[in-house]
């Protein structure tokens, strides 16, 4: 939580102060490159335990600079420094130390429209059918939302940074108001997924929904198995790092996705700089 507090203080002071090493933590990561998305500066790495920080997993990571990806290919074994700051993380000092056959060649992943695994979804691709629990404790599949356009975001309710998860909640509350008032948008649905299923039980999500005045016929809150949520979220570029020493300390980024009535990704907003007006404009184009 300390990093969050540092970040909040930084907001109150000056942006430049955020670059102080005190708000950053660095870890050594060892793993294998599974895929590379150079234009987006993203590398998917299957990595080993990061001591005192996170267990072994496969995740997309942003790299600090695009040139760090030059000369890298799927299968490469690497070491790198994972720099975690309060609103995200990136890899730097990437070193190739060998290469090994990929367990599953990327081409064999799955059908072109609904690929499995951890590749980032591209616009036009079908969103994978994750399984979740809603705020009422009911089992829900993401495909249940087919037939209506969906605006979806990822949060955790304990997030202490006002400009992060709470801002997503406020934006969704604003969207809900317009969706209600505009008959052309009456079908659109809002979906908020928690990546902190341990704390965000259905009961907690119900309370949270109430605090936001959420109309549950239009706005659904989901939680589920932690690994399932992580895998689903990673397809949208969400990376979640939980401190092993303090599970309440979650470092994460933000993605907000627009999904059409056929269940295909239309676009994904990065970070917290999108506005409800932009999303409404995107939705109107879908009608
Ligand atoms: Cu947050």
């Amino acid at each position: 939580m300390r990093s969050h507090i540092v970040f909040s203080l930084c907001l109150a002071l000056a942006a430049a102060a955020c670059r102080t090493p005190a708000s950053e933590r660095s870890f050594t990561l060892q793993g294998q490159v599974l895929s590379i998305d150079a234009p987006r500066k993203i590398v998917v790495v299957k990595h080993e335990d990061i001591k005192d920080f996170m267990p072994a997993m496969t995740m997309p990571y942003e790299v600090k600079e695009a040139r760090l990806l030059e000369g890298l290919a799927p299968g490469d074994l690497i070491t790198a420094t994972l720099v975690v700051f309060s609103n995200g993380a990136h890899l730097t000092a990437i070193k190739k130390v060998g290469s090994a056959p990929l367990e599953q060649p990327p081409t064999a992943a799955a059908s072109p429209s609904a690929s499995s695994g951890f590749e980032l979804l591209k616009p036009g691709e079908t969103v994978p059918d994750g399984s979740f629990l809603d705020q009422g404790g009911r089992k829900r599949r993401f495909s249940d939302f087919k037939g209506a356009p969906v605006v979806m975001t990822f949060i955790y309710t304990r997030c202490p940074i006002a400009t992060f998860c709470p801002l997503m909640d406020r934006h969704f509350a604003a969207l809900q108001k317009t969706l209600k008032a505009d008959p052309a948008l009456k079908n659109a649905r809002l979906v908020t997924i928690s990546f902190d299923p341990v704390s965000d039980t259905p009961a907690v999500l119900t309370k949270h929904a109430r605090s936001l005045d959420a109309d549950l016929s239009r706005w659904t809150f989901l939680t589920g198995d932690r690994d399932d949520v992580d895998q689903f979220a990673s397809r949208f570029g969400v990376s979640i790092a939980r401190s092993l020493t303090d599970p309440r300390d979650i470092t994460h980024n933000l993605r907000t996705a627009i999904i059409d009535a056929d269940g295909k990704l239309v676009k994904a907003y990065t970070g917290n700089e999108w506005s409800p007006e932009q999303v409404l404009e995107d939705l109107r184009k879908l009608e």
Side-chain angles (χ1 to χ4, degrees), residues 134-194:
D134 70 13
Q135 70 283 333
R138 286 171 294 259
K139 278 197 178 164
R140 300 291 284 266
R141 307 214 45 106
F142 200 76
S143 54
D144 295 347
F145 295 100
K146 262 189 195 164
V150 170
V151 186
M152 177 186 69
T153 198
F154 299 88
I155 65 140
Y156 72 116
T157 63
R158 290 182 295 112
C159 184
I161 306 174
T163 54
F164 266 64
C165 299
L167 179 65
M168 299 299 104
D169 285 336
R170 291 198 298 277
H171 278 357
F172 269 47
L175 285 170
Q176 173 180 262
K177 257 188 202 159
T178 311
L179 298 184
K180 253 185 189 168
D182 186 340
L185 296 174
K186 68 171 192 311
N187 284 329
R189 295 284 175 269
L190 302 170
V191 177
T192 296
I193 301 180
S194 167

